[in-house]
Amino acid sequence: MDIMRHLECFLAVGEERHFGRAAERLGMEQPPLSQRIRRLEKELGADLFDRGGGQVQLTPAGHVLMREAPELLRAHQRMRTLVRRAAETDPANPPRPWSSLY
């Protein structure tokens, strides 16, 4: 499961409070977006949205994830950038923990 992509989808739904608008914003269809959210909920073992009455509201677990997900996504992007930079360095002179790469 691409958890980072699922988190991006979660944030879009959480910010829009609407699956259709979130799907449009993400450039995807609504059914696959709903499936991603369901898989994320299954992975985390908690409902993230209350879908009752045609409105989408965050559950308590959803509120926690709305606070945590942006930092997780930033850390993931930072890790990818650091790994990519390290891969581009000279193997004979690898980066040290105190180098500017980090």
Side-chain angles (χ1 to χ4, degrees), residues 36-56:
R36 284 182 185 215
I37 298 299
R38 288 286 186 204
R39 284 194 298 270
L40 180 61
E41 289 174 325
K42 184 176 179 183
E43 173 72 20
L44 296 175
D47 288 337
L48 301 171
F49 296 105
D50 178 4
R51 297 162 174 86
Q55 294 185 0
V56 177

Side-chain angles (χ1 to χ4, degrees), residues 41-97:
E41 289 174 325
K42 184 176 179 183
E43 173 72 20
L44 296 175
D47 288 337
L48 301 171
F49 296 105
D50 178 4
R51 297 162 174 86
Q55 294 185 0
V56 177
Q57 299 296 324
L58 290 166
T59 64
H63 281 285
V64 169
L65 192 56
M66 281 296 288
R67 283 192 311 268
E68 297 297 320
E71 180 58 31
L72 290 169
L73 289 167
R74 280 190 296 274
H76 180 257
Q77 185 57 47
R78 181 175 184 273
M79 177 205 59
R80 292 176 59 92
T81 299
L82 292 172
V83 169
R84 188 177 60 251
R85 285 183 191 165
E88 295 168 354
T89 62
D90 180 359
N93 187 20
R96 304 288 186 243

